[in-house]
Amino acid sequence: MSEYLHKDSIGPVEYHDQKLPLGPDGFILESGKSLPEVSLRYEAYGKLNADKSNAIWICSPLTADAHVAGFYKPDDKHVGWWDALIGKGKAVDTDKFYVVCSNVLGGCKGSTGPASIDPRTGKPYGSSFPTITIGDMVHAQKLLADALGIQSFYCVIGGSMGGFQAMKWAIYYPEIIDRVILIATSPGFSAQALGFEIVGRDVITQDPNYNNGDYYDKQIPAIGLANARKLAHITYLSAKGMETRFTRSDIRIEHPEKFYSGSSLETYLDHQGTKFVERFDANSYLHIAHATDTFDLATEYGSLEKAFQNVQSTFLNVNLSSDWLFPPNESRKITEALLNDGKVVTSLELDTNFGHDGFLIECGALGMAVSRFLGGQIGNAKSTGTPAFHSEKDISIIDSLIPAKARILDLGAGDGLLIDSLWQKKKVTGVGVEKNFANILGCIERDVPVIEKKLNLEALQSFADNSFDYAVFNRTLPEVRNQRLMLREIMRIAKHAIITFPNFGSWEMRWALCYHGRMPKSPEFPYEWYETPNIHCFTYRDFVRLAEAEHLEIEKIVTVNDHTLSQLLTKIGFVNLGAERVIAMVKRKE
Amino acid sequence: MSEYLHKDSIGPVEYHDQKLPLGPDGFILESGKSLPEVSLRYEAYGKLNADKSNAIWICSPLTADAHVAGFYKPDDKHVGWWDALIGKGKAVDTDKFYVVCSNVLGGCKGSTGPASIDPRTGKPYGSSFPTITIGDMVHAQKLLADALGIQSFYCVIGGSMGGFQAMKWAIYYPEIIDRVILIATSPGFSAQALGFEIVGRDVITQDPNYNNGDYYDKQIPAIGLANARKLAHITYLSAKGMETRFTRSDIRIEHPEKFYSGSSLETYLDHQGTKFVERFDANSYLHIAHATDTFDLATEYGSLEKAFQNVQSTFLNVNLSSDWLFPPNESRKITEALLNDGKVVTSLELDTNFGHDGFLIECGALGMAVSRFLGGQIGNAKSTGTPAFHSEKDISIIDSLIPAKARILDLGAGDGLLIDSLWQKKKVTGVGVEKNFANILGCIERDVPVIEKKLNLEALQSFADNSFDYAVFNRTLPEVRNQRLMLREIMRIAKHAIITFPNFGSWEMRWALCYHGRMPKSPEFPYEWYETPNIHCFTYRDFVRLAEAEHLEIEKIVTVNDHTLSQLLTKIGFVNLGAERVIAMVKRKE
């Protein structure tokens, strides 16, 4: 087992303890209270390069520690908690990057926490340990980074509570962080998650052994801590994942021990509780959990937009489909606020049955995205590439319509070619919307920000009014329902819309339907009727009429005609008959 | 407050205690153990009619009691727990029905339970109370019903754990139950729900005051019981509902009392815990919860299909969209098993933000469905009715294709006219699939079983192989994606498929596209291109080709032609040109 685990691992690693250099007042907490001394345990892999530009900081989740990759001794049964992602040639490549992870302030894995000895009393802090915040954890980590000679970060990465820290890093130290990766996180706990937190906390603090946190020389609150962990553990899994894993066959009507059936699920939860009591201190758990409970960027800064207004990093924000502790809709709020601030963000929706724990387990797709975001090439997911019909000609026409430095929203961005070309030619910035994962990887590789979404009305609703200069539907308008409402929505978001579509009214289409009596196919409509993505086809004339009815001004309308007959028909004035495809630009009438 | 609550209520009610008539061995439990005596507390409203055909039995959820409607005294602050649904002129109309509800066996609200005096010892049962099952509860209720002179039931209704009992009623006493209504229930807890049950149980039984259940003369395990309830209560709400209800503004960085912020959510959960400790006995909670935990029809009978194979009732099965304790996908298993058994079931998916508690709160739409299922007329949701194009002519053609007593699946059933007509003419039975709620109410009113589903591949996957003689797509095939796969799926489910569709290849369509260069409209295609439900249109010839490619035998193909020109073109052999709409019957080639 350990041999297999160790095979791909970075190898033997060791931890270090760093006492933070502090002034005479000690480490000042955000609450105003202080700690006389703080030491952080950390691990570091790889080498800081000459220009100190390759540091990657890993922020740890609630109950993890500094041991994020590798192993200590050859017979270790486990490797570090994110070994799947971090190592030689892995997504976070220790051959390229200098990677550091520390145990958080308040923890019990080597860093200063409630179980540490208070130098003023010579006894463990216990009940006298002050409450801490996510910000305090980050401030302590910054002192550690300074001590390690890190002046800027290529990337700060955090999953779950690690994401809370990563956001605080980007907010507190905007100038020195190039990139931020957030995984399975949110701008603060949902009310439901907080509800579970409250119950877990009460279960610990109401354990008779808890004694207000002063139990280090007595019995520990083991029952309370185990039950809190059992509860929390359920929230890390998905309903579907649990259903797959646990059978009910061993639940019987009358049980040897009352109410206890000895089912695999009971045994499993008991095991989780017991294991946790062995490795974690109840006070640390309460303090760190409390820091996450009170983390709430929107309340703290007035709004999420205000929280992020000064960040300068490029973000990759990944949510997990079956995560209900940090659910996708909460994670998306981060993306939306960054977009509303005009920041650079790519947002991914990873499909997993593993629930919140997926961020530690589903490292295949996640690894590919992280690798590309960090300039690597892990994985070989094939992008469907730029659609064939997305020709040079179309791009050059669209190019002619968009001025330099415009901000564009590319609805159905493929692998990001359009934004990339326009960026290179005229510093046009933009965001793509795309649903195909391989295409999204293509975007990330091109450094084109992209939001993973299906194109529909709901997808558009999250964009703020007038947040873009141009919205582009490149062949994607026939693929959505209710084009009338889509157009209205897009004209709320962008000043201009550029729409390219295949013309169902071309001579080729008319001829095919009339002569053959079948749903027509053509180079522009290459699909069979029963599997075409085009669900609402329309003609040049249909589009013009809809634009008129919607009080849109057609600023420009161009037709593309490859066939000689198309060109002839267009020349003699039969535009609708001659148009094979259409490129139109519209805006709201003043 | 109470005046407003009481206004629509059935009025003052009273409870009764019924000692069950038992043999010398007492009440034998499913475990083989016994109770020397059992008394059930119940309430009854309305009158049992002369032929004893109007009894409705209400099965109570976990912590509810017999007090399901009305009030005891004019100054009562609360009415019965399902007062919104039950009363004069309400969905369960006490002017028409004799309605009975009892506190369950094992309860602490008047029925025999762990806190009752064991006549053999003169002391409360406590730890000696035997474990009970849902089946035991139902057997006790049957004895109560006998004592009340009820020999058959017009309907048995249960929500949540009440649904567990209702299913057992239908399984144990198939001949005497006409109808069953299941709301927000499942064939057994999901693994996730069981996980929460296990933690809640451990939190109670590990409370030092629990004392193995013998605490009646001592301190009760109040802390454990309160914490278990707080946890359970979160599972009754939805994430969205909680988010709407609780603000986070009062969570501060440093709190007066450590870790406790006094937020509205903390206060609310505390209140739920405290209130519950005042009204409920920990032993009762553990015993009843254990009965629900071990309820698992699939394991008990080998499969759900086997569990339901002898039921004779007509079922209405309602799930709630945001219920994650009894989630829709678990509830649907009941519907699917009943369908696979060829039983009569209507299945509704109610949209609510209230989570599991929605079954007590969302009584508007639920009330309309329940009312109609019981032959009433509550609510005035307008059915969109039978589509205009679903003419007498079409029905008579379809009628001519289907033999007497066939079993049909009507995909897009509208208000159920087709199945209703065929039932009346030739005893054809069937099930509709429909997504419009008002239409579904129409089906229920006609007593046409209907499954609420969007028409797509996934919807079809739940039907068993060869479970129908005929599947009918009446105008709905152009509304789905991937007709090729839909056809394959439907030919797995039914021996024959009858498909009616408007012909995109008719002379009218060809002329409109060719002449006007716009997406054509006609009486058969009355929608604008951007809002038509038809997303994959096709022609007579397209359909024939697809059938050939799929190796289907076209048993019959008929065209409907109202226009004189259509008739003429058809007469001279231009079938595709002349067909306005097409009715085809296909089967797999041998």
Side-chain angles (χ1 to χ4, degrees), chain A residues 127 131 201-202 230 248 254 258-259 266 293 484 510 514 517 530 539, chain B residues 127 131 201-202 230 248 254-255 258-259 266 293 484 510 514 517 530 539:
Chain A
S127 65
T131 53
R201 175 201 64 192
D202 289 352
K230 281 146 69 178
R248 302 202 50 196
E254 184 76 356
K258 206 187 250 178
F259 304 135
E266 285 170 312
D293 297 350
R484 177 188 279 261
R510 299 193 209 187
C514 280
Y530 47 79
T539 71
Chain B
S127 66
T131 54
R201 176 201 65 193
D202 289 352
K230 281 145 68 177
R248 302 202 48 194
E254 183 76 355
H255 307 300
K258 206 187 251 176
F259 304 134
E266 284 170 313
D293 297 350
R484 177 188 281 261
R510 299 193 209 187
C514 281
Y530 49 79
T539 71

mmCIF file of all heavy atoms in Angstrom, chain A residues 127 131 201-202 230 248 254 258-259 266 293 484 510 514 517 530 539, chain B residues 127 131 201-202 230 248 254-255 258-259 266 293 484 510 514 517 530 539:
data_model
loop_
_atom_site.group_PDB
_atom_site.id
_atom_site.type_symbol
_atom_site.label_atom_id
_atom_site.label_comp_id
_atom_site.label_asym_id
_atom_site.label_seq_id
_atom_site.Cartn_x
_atom_site.Cartn_y
_atom_site.Cartn_z
ATOM 1 N N SER A 127 -8.661 27.745 28.070
ATOM 2 C CA SER A 127 -9.736 28.735 27.946
ATOM 3 C C SER A 127 -9.221 30.149 27.708
ATOM 4 O O SER A 127 -9.975 31.025 27.289
ATOM 5 C CB SER A 127 -10.604 28.725 29.209
ATOM 6 O OG SER A 127 -9.840 29.158 30.326
ATOM 7 N N THR A 131 -9.924 34.271 20.669
ATOM 8 C CA THR A 131 -10.532 33.858 19.394
ATOM 9 C C THR A 131 -9.719 34.467 18.257
ATOM 10 O O THR A 131 -9.195 35.572 18.363
ATOM 11 C CB THR A 131 -12.004 34.306 19.262
ATOM 12 O OG1 THR A 131 -12.081 35.704 19.506
ATOM 13 C CG2 THR A 131 -12.884 33.577 20.235
ATOM 14 N N ARG A 201 -20.502 22.585 17.529
ATOM 15 C CA ARG A 201 -19.894 23.333 18.625
ATOM 16 C C ARG A 201 -20.591 23.035 19.953
ATOM 17 O O ARG A 201 -19.957 22.746 20.966
ATOM 18 C CB ARG A 201 -19.983 24.828 18.319
ATOM 19 C CG ARG A 201 -19.489 25.715 19.420
ATOM 20 C CD ARG A 201 -20.073 27.114 19.282
ATOM 21 N NE ARG A 201 -21.527 27.081 19.449
ATOM 22 C CZ ARG A 201 -22.343 28.089 19.163
ATOM 23 N NH1 ARG A 201 -21.863 29.183 18.640
ATOM 24 N NH2 ARG A 201 -23.649 27.981 19.368
ATOM 25 N N ASP A 202 -21.939 23.073 19.937
ATOM 26 C CA ASP A 202 -22.681 22.823 21.178
ATOM 27 C C ASP A 202 -22.427 21.414 21.708
ATOM 28 O O ASP A 202 -22.346 21.199 22.914
ATOM 29 C CB ASP A 202 -24.187 23.038 20.946
ATOM 30 C CG ASP A 202 -24.516 24.517 20.757
ATOM 31 O OD1 ASP A 202 -23.606 25.360 20.963
ATOM 32 O OD2 ASP A 202 -25.671 24.829 20.416
ATOM 33 N N LYS A 230 -18.392 13.309 13.585
ATOM 34 C CA LYS A 230 -19.301 12.440 12.819
ATOM 35 C C LYS A 230 -20.281 13.300 12.007
ATOM 36 O O LYS A 230 -20.524 13.043 10.819
ATOM 37 C CB LYS A 230 -20.048 11.493 13.762
ATOM 38 C CG LYS A 230 -19.192 10.300 14.197
ATOM 39 C CD LYS A 230 -19.457 9.830 15.614
ATOM 40 C CE LYS A 230 -20.796 9.173 15.834
ATOM 41 N NZ LYS A 230 -20.916 8.708 17.251
ATOM 42 N N ARG A 248 -27.549 -1.278 3.250
ATOM 43 C CA ARG A 248 -28.418 -1.296 4.400
ATOM 44 C C ARG A 248 -28.734 -2.719 4.823
ATOM 45 O O ARG A 248 -29.518 -2.947 5.727
ATOM 46 C CB ARG A 248 -29.725 -0.561 4.074
ATOM 47 C CG ARG A 248 -29.469 0.878 3.651
ATOM 48 C CD ARG A 248 -30.699 1.694 3.863
ATOM 49 N NE ARG A 248 -31.213 1.489 5.198
ATOM 50 C CZ ARG A 248 -32.423 1.804 5.612
ATOM 51 N NH1 ARG A 248 -33.264 2.343 4.787
ATOM 52 N NH2 ARG A 248 -32.809 1.572 6.843
ATOM 53 N N GLU A 254 -34.570 -6.411 15.153
ATOM 54 C CA GLU A 254 -34.204 -6.388 16.576
ATOM 55 C C GLU A 254 -32.692 -6.494 16.640
ATOM 56 O O GLU A 254 -32.088 -7.342 15.992
ATOM 57 C CB GLU A 254 -34.859 -7.537 17.329
ATOM 58 C CG GLU A 254 -34.613 -7.530 18.832
ATOM 59 C CD GLU A 254 -35.445 -6.477 19.564
ATOM 60 O OE1 GLU A 254 -36.152 -5.702 18.896
ATOM 61 O OE2 GLU A 254 -35.374 -6.429 20.788
ATOM 62 N N LYS A 258 -29.339 -2.359 21.794
ATOM 63 C CA LYS A 258 -30.498 -1.548 21.433
ATOM 64 C C LYS A 258 -30.112 -0.329 20.590
ATOM 65 O O LYS A 258 -29.227 0.418 20.952
ATOM 66 C CB LYS A 258 -31.216 -1.098 22.703
ATOM 67 C CG LYS A 258 -32.699 -0.837 22.445
ATOM 68 C CD LYS A 258 -33.328 -0.233 23.656
ATOM 69 C CE LYS A 258 -34.269 -1.219 24.315
ATOM 70 N NZ LYS A 258 -34.839 -0.628 25.532
ATOM 71 N N PHE A 259 -30.848 -0.113 19.521
ATOM 72 C CA PHE A 259 -30.688 1.007 18.606
ATOM 73 C C PHE A 259 -29.407 0.915 17.780
ATOM 74 O O PHE A 259 -29.198 1.677 16.863
ATOM 75 C CB PHE A 259 -30.710 2.369 19.332
ATOM 76 C CG PHE A 259 -31.939 2.575 20.146
ATOM 77 C CD1 PHE A 259 -31.855 3.074 21.433
ATOM 78 C CD2 PHE A 259 -33.192 2.284 19.627
ATOM 79 C CE1 PHE A 259 -32.996 3.281 22.177
ATOM 80 C CE2 PHE A 259 -34.340 2.494 20.367
ATOM 81 C CZ PHE A 259 -34.231 2.983 21.665
ATOM 82 N N GLU A 266 -22.700 2.947 10.620
ATOM 83 C CA GLU A 266 -22.425 3.253 12.033
ATOM 84 C C GLU A 266 -20.942 3.044 12.344
ATOM 85 O O GLU A 266 -20.297 3.876 12.978
ATOM 86 C CB GLU A 266 -23.277 2.359 12.946
ATOM 87 C CG GLU A 266 -24.726 2.794 13.004
ATOM 88 C CD GLU A 266 -25.612 1.779 13.713
ATOM 89 O OE1 GLU A 266 -25.499 0.580 13.375
ATOM 90 O OE2 GLU A 266 -26.400 2.173 14.570
ATOM 91 N N ASP A 293 -16.567 30.200 10.833
ATOM 92 C CA ASP A 293 -17.966 30.617 11.006
ATOM 93 C C ASP A 293 -18.120 32.123 10.873
ATOM 94 O O ASP A 293 -19.126 32.622 10.361
ATOM 95 C CB ASP A 293 -18.494 30.203 12.382
ATOM 96 C CG ASP A 293 -18.517 28.703 12.567
ATOM 97 O OD1 ASP A 293 -18.300 27.987 11.574
ATOM 98 O OD2 ASP A 293 -18.742 28.252 13.708
ATOM 99 N N ARG A 484 -35.820 35.976 -28.148
ATOM 100 C CA ARG A 484 -36.322 37.314 -27.850
ATOM 101 C C ARG A 484 -35.836 37.747 -26.460
ATOM 102 O O ARG A 484 -35.247 38.817 -26.285
ATOM 103 C CB ARG A 484 -37.851 37.321 -27.907
ATOM 104 C CG ARG A 484 -38.476 38.641 -27.547
ATOM 105 C CD ARG A 484 -39.996 38.521 -27.423
ATOM 106 N NE ARG A 484 -40.637 38.557 -28.723
ATOM 107 C CZ ARG A 484 -41.198 39.662 -29.242
ATOM 108 N NH1 ARG A 484 -41.193 40.790 -28.569
ATOM 109 N NH2 ARG A 484 -41.785 39.620 -30.417
ATOM 110 N N ARG A 510 -33.763 26.518 -48.806
ATOM 111 C CA ARG A 510 -35.100 26.522 -49.429
ATOM 112 C C ARG A 510 -35.197 25.408 -50.461
ATOM 113 O O ARG A 510 -36.170 24.690 -50.537
ATOM 114 C CB ARG A 510 -35.358 27.880 -50.083
ATOM 115 C CG ARG A 510 -35.325 29.022 -49.068
ATOM 116 C CD ARG A 510 -35.900 30.294 -49.664
ATOM 117 N NE ARG A 510 -35.306 31.489 -49.057
ATOM 118 C CZ ARG A 510 -35.695 32.720 -49.283
ATOM 119 N NH1 ARG A 510 -36.714 32.951 -50.112
ATOM 120 N NH2 ARG A 510 -35.112 33.745 -48.697
ATOM 121 N N CYS A 514 -37.704 22.303 -50.304
ATOM 122 C CA CYS A 514 -38.738 22.258 -51.337
ATOM 123 C C CYS A 514 -38.589 21.039 -52.231
ATOM 124 O O CYS A 514 -39.551 20.372 -52.547
ATOM 125 C CB CYS A 514 -38.681 23.522 -52.198
ATOM 126 S SG CYS A 514 -39.484 24.874 -51.373
ATOM 127 N N GLY A 517 -38.068 17.695 -49.690
ATOM 128 C CA GLY A 517 -39.069 17.494 -48.644
ATOM 129 C C GLY A 517 -38.460 16.949 -47.360
ATOM 130 O O GLY A 517 -39.101 16.228 -46.615
ATOM 131 N N TYR A 530 -32.376 15.401 -36.013
ATOM 132 C CA TYR A 530 -32.670 14.910 -34.668
ATOM 133 C C TYR A 530 -31.510 15.106 -33.703
ATOM 134 O O TYR A 530 -31.628 14.790 -32.530
ATOM 135 C CB TYR A 530 -33.083 13.428 -34.700
ATOM 136 C CG TYR A 530 -32.185 12.556 -35.523
ATOM 137 C CD1 TYR A 530 -30.960 12.118 -35.031
ATOM 138 C CD2 TYR A 530 -32.557 12.188 -36.807
ATOM 139 C CE1 TYR A 530 -30.126 11.332 -35.792
ATOM 140 C CE2 TYR A 530 -31.718 11.404 -37.587
ATOM 141 C CZ TYR A 530 -30.513 10.976 -37.080
ATOM 142 O OH TYR A 530 -29.680 10.195 -37.840
ATOM 143 N N THR A 539 -34.046 32.850 -40.202
ATOM 144 C CA THR A 539 -33.493 33.382 -41.447
ATOM 145 C C THR A 539 -32.973 34.800 -41.227
ATOM 146 O O THR A 539 -33.256 35.426 -40.195
ATOM 147 C CB THR A 539 -34.570 33.431 -42.549
ATOM 148 O OG1 THR A 539 -35.513 34.475 -42.222
ATOM 149 C CG2 THR A 539 -35.328 32.115 -42.671
ATOM 150 N N SER B 127 -35.937 1.535 30.027
ATOM 151 C CA SER B 127 -35.056 0.680 29.220
ATOM 152 C C SER B 127 -35.689 -0.645 28.832
ATOM 153 O O SER B 127 -35.199 -1.333 27.940
ATOM 154 C CB SER B 127 -33.754 0.404 29.988
ATOM 155 O OG SER B 127 -34.043 -0.366 31.140
ATOM 156 N N THR B 131 -38.039 -2.654 21.279
ATOM 157 C CA THR B 131 -37.979 -1.879 20.028
ATOM 158 C C THR B 131 -39.207 -2.214 19.190
ATOM 159 O O THR B 131 -39.711 -3.343 19.194
ATOM 160 C CB THR B 131 -36.708 -2.190 19.205
ATOM 161 O OG1 THR B 131 -36.640 -3.590 19.004
ATOM 162 C CG2 THR B 131 -35.471 -1.697 19.904
ATOM 163 N N ARG B 201 -28.940 10.050 17.498
ATOM 164 C CA ARG B 201 -29.112 8.992 18.491
ATOM 165 C C ARG B 201 -27.936 8.957 19.467
ATOM 166 O O ARG B 201 -28.114 8.928 20.685
ATOM 167 C CB ARG B 201 -29.231 7.645 17.777
ATOM 168 C CG ARG B 201 -29.325 6.469 18.695
ATOM 169 C CD ARG B 201 -28.927 5.202 17.953
ATOM 170 N NE ARG B 201 -27.522 5.248 17.573
ATOM 171 C CZ ARG B 201 -26.965 4.404 16.713
ATOM 172 N NH1 ARG B 201 -27.692 3.472 16.133
ATOM 173 N NH2 ARG B 201 -25.672 4.498 16.423
ATOM 174 N N ASP B 202 -26.712 8.999 18.922
ATOM 175 C CA ASP B 202 -25.524 8.936 19.784
ATOM 176 C C ASP B 202 -25.473 10.128 20.730
ATOM 177 O O ASP B 202 -25.050 10.006 21.878
ATOM 178 C CB ASP B 202 -24.250 8.886 18.927
ATOM 179 C CG ASP B 202 -24.097 7.537 18.225
ATOM 180 O OD1 ASP B 202 -24.906 6.624 18.535
ATOM 181 O OD2 ASP B 202 -23.201 7.389 17.386
ATOM 182 N N LYS B 230 -31.921 19.894 17.381
ATOM 183 C CA LYS B 230 -31.349 20.994 16.592
ATOM 184 C C LYS B 230 -30.805 20.444 15.269
ATOM 185 O O LYS B 230 -31.044 21.008 14.194
ATOM 186 C CB LYS B 230 -30.235 21.701 17.394
ATOM 187 C CG LYS B 230 -30.779 22.670 18.428
ATOM 188 C CD LYS B 230 -29.955 22.753 19.704
ATOM 189 C CE LYS B 230 -28.604 23.379 19.541
ATOM 190 N NZ LYS B 230 -27.905 23.478 20.851
ATOM 191 N N ARG B 248 -26.745 37.193 8.600
ATOM 192 C CA ARG B 248 -25.490 36.938 9.277
ATOM 193 C C ARG B 248 -24.944 38.209 9.909
ATOM 194 O O ARG B 248 -23.861 38.214 10.464
ATOM 195 C CB ARG B 248 -24.468 36.399 8.281
ATOM 196 C CG ARG B 248 -24.950 35.128 7.586
ATOM 197 C CD ARG B 248 -23.789 34.362 7.072
ATOM 198 N NE ARG B 248 -22.783 34.254 8.100
ATOM 199 C CZ ARG B 248 -21.541 33.866 7.895
ATOM 200 N NH1 ARG B 248 -21.155 33.556 6.709
ATOM 201 N NH2 ARG B 248 -20.678 33.795 8.892
ATOM 202 N N GLU B 254 -15.348 39.281 17.766
ATOM 203 C CA GLU B 254 -15.122 38.858 19.159
ATOM 204 C C GLU B 254 -16.486 38.844 19.844
ATOM 205 O O GLU B 254 -17.258 39.790 19.728
ATOM 206 C CB GLU B 254 -14.181 39.841 19.883
ATOM 207 C CG GLU B 254 -13.835 39.431 21.308
ATOM 208 C CD GLU B 254 -12.804 38.296 21.358
ATOM 209 O OE1 GLU B 254 -12.422 37.768 20.275
ATOM 210 O OE2 GLU B 254 -12.405 37.918 22.444
ATOM 211 N N HIS B 255 -16.786 37.795 20.542
ATOM 212 C CA HIS B 255 -18.123 37.662 21.093
ATOM 213 C C HIS B 255 -18.090 37.765 22.596
ATOM 214 O O HIS B 255 -17.123 37.367 23.228
ATOM 215 C CB HIS B 255 -18.723 36.319 20.699
ATOM 216 C CG HIS B 255 -18.654 36.112 19.247
ATOM 217 N ND1 HIS B 255 -19.265 36.957 18.359
ATOM 218 C CD2 HIS B 255 -17.996 35.198 18.498
ATOM 219 C CE1 HIS B 255 -18.994 36.573 17.141
ATOM 220 N NE2 HIS B 255 -18.225 35.506 17.197
ATOM 221 N N LYS B 258 -17.731 33.289 24.531
ATOM 222 C CA LYS B 258 -16.856 32.698 23.530
ATOM 223 C C LYS B 258 -17.587 31.722 22.599
ATOM 224 O O LYS B 258 -18.310 30.840 23.050
ATOM 225 C CB LYS B 258 -15.715 31.961 24.224
ATOM 226 C CG LYS B 258 -14.475 31.885 23.342
ATOM 227 C CD LYS B 258 -13.440 31.008 23.971
ATOM 228 C CE LYS B 258 -12.279 31.812 24.477
ATOM 229 N NZ LYS B 258 -11.317 30.951 25.164
ATOM 230 N N PHE B 259 -17.367 31.861 21.322
ATOM 231 C CA PHE B 259 -17.938 31.034 20.260
ATOM 232 C C PHE B 259 -19.431 31.268 20.067
ATOM 233 O O PHE B 259 -20.024 30.778 19.133
ATOM 234 C CB PHE B 259 -17.708 29.534 20.507
ATOM 235 C CG PHE B 259 -16.280 29.179 20.690
ATOM 236 C CD1 PHE B 259 -15.876 28.347 21.714
ATOM 237 C CD2 PHE B 259 -15.311 29.695 19.827
ATOM 238 C CE1 PHE B 259 -14.546 28.024 21.879
ATOM 239 C CE2 PHE B 259 -13.977 29.383 19.988
ATOM 240 C CZ PHE B 259 -13.581 28.541 21.026
ATOM 241 N N GLU B 266 -28.553 30.890 15.891
ATOM 242 C CA GLU B 266 -28.265 30.198 17.158
ATOM 243 C C GLU B 266 -29.487 30.233 18.079
ATOM 244 O O GLU B 266 -29.871 29.223 18.665
ATOM 245 C CB GLU B 266 -27.069 30.865 17.858
ATOM 246 C CG GLU B 266 -25.731 30.511 17.223
ATOM 247 C CD GLU B 266 -24.594 31.363 17.762
ATOM 248 O OE1 GLU B 266 -24.756 32.591 17.843
ATOM 249 O OE2 GLU B 266 -23.549 30.792 18.103
ATOM 250 N N ASP B 293 -35.630 4.295 11.126
ATOM 251 C CA ASP B 293 -34.305 3.933 10.604
ATOM 252 C C ASP B 293 -34.294 2.522 10.032
ATOM 253 O O ASP B 293 -33.607 2.244 9.048
ATOM 254 C CB ASP B 293 -33.244 3.984 11.716
ATOM 255 C CG ASP B 293 -33.063 5.381 12.277
ATOM 256 O OD1 ASP B 293 -33.615 6.338 11.690
ATOM 257 O OD2 ASP B 293 -32.393 5.510 13.318
ATOM 258 N N ARG B 484 -33.756 10.257 -32.247
ATOM 259 C CA ARG B 484 -33.260 8.907 -32.533
ATOM 260 C C ARG B 484 -33.171 8.098 -31.229
ATOM 261 O O ARG B 484 -33.718 7.005 -31.113
ATOM 262 C CB ARG B 484 -31.878 8.991 -33.190
ATOM 263 C CG ARG B 484 -31.248 7.647 -33.471
ATOM 264 C CD ARG B 484 -29.804 7.797 -33.950
ATOM 265 N NE ARG B 484 -29.735 8.164 -35.353
ATOM 266 C CZ ARG B 484 -29.497 7.271 -36.331
ATOM 267 N NH1 ARG B 484 -29.319 6.005 -36.051
ATOM 268 N NH2 ARG B 484 -29.433 7.667 -37.576
ATOM 269 N N ARG B 510 -43.246 24.672 -47.082
ATOM 270 C CA ARG B 510 -42.259 24.895 -48.145
ATOM 271 C C ARG B 510 -42.509 26.249 -48.810
ATOM 272 O O ARG B 510 -41.601 27.022 -49.067
ATOM 273 C CB ARG B 510 -42.338 23.770 -49.183
ATOM 274 C CG ARG B 510 -42.037 22.414 -48.591
ATOM 275 C CD ARG B 510 -41.808 21.380 -49.686
ATOM 276 N NE ARG B 510 -42.198 20.050 -49.227
ATOM 277 C CZ ARG B 510 -41.994 18.937 -49.921
ATOM 278 N NH1 ARG B 510 -41.416 18.992 -51.099
ATOM 279 N NH2 ARG B 510 -42.393 17.776 -49.440
ATOM 280 N N CYS B 514 -39.957 29.355 -48.819
ATOM 281 C CA CYS B 514 -39.422 29.725 -50.131
ATOM 282 C C CYS B 514 -39.848 31.116 -50.534
ATOM 283 O O CYS B 514 -39.053 31.905 -51.024
ATOM 284 C CB CYS B 514 -39.891 28.741 -51.207
ATOM 285 S SG CYS B 514 -38.927 27.256 -51.152
ATOM 286 N N GLY B 517 -39.159 33.632 -47.209
ATOM 287 C CA GLY B 517 -37.820 33.607 -46.622
ATOM 288 C C GLY B 517 -37.845 33.760 -45.112
ATOM 289 O O GLY B 517 -36.912 34.285 -44.506
ATOM 290 N N TYR B 530 -38.850 31.931 -32.320
ATOM 291 C CA TYR B 530 -38.023 32.065 -31.109
ATOM 292 C C TYR B 530 -38.721 31.557 -29.857
ATOM 293 O O TYR B 530 -38.132 31.567 -28.791
ATOM 294 C CB TYR B 530 -37.573 33.523 -30.923
ATOM 295 C CG TYR B 530 -38.685 34.540 -31.039
ATOM 296 C CD1 TYR B 530 -39.557 34.762 -29.997
ATOM 297 C CD2 TYR B 530 -38.848 35.252 -32.227
ATOM 298 C CE1 TYR B 530 -40.585 35.684 -30.126
ATOM 299 C CE2 TYR B 530 -39.872 36.173 -32.360
ATOM 300 C CZ TYR B 530 -40.736 36.396 -31.306
ATOM 301 O OH TYR B 530 -41.753 37.286 -31.435
ATOM 302 N N THR B 539 -39.939 16.334 -41.310
ATOM 303 C CA THR B 539 -40.964 16.122 -42.324
ATOM 304 C C THR B 539 -41.443 14.664 -42.299
ATOM 305 O O THR B 539 -40.807 13.799 -41.677
ATOM 306 C CB THR B 539 -40.411 16.424 -43.735
ATOM 307 O OG1 THR B 539 -39.481 15.390 -44.089
ATOM 308 C CG2 THR B 539 -39.712 17.779 -43.775
#
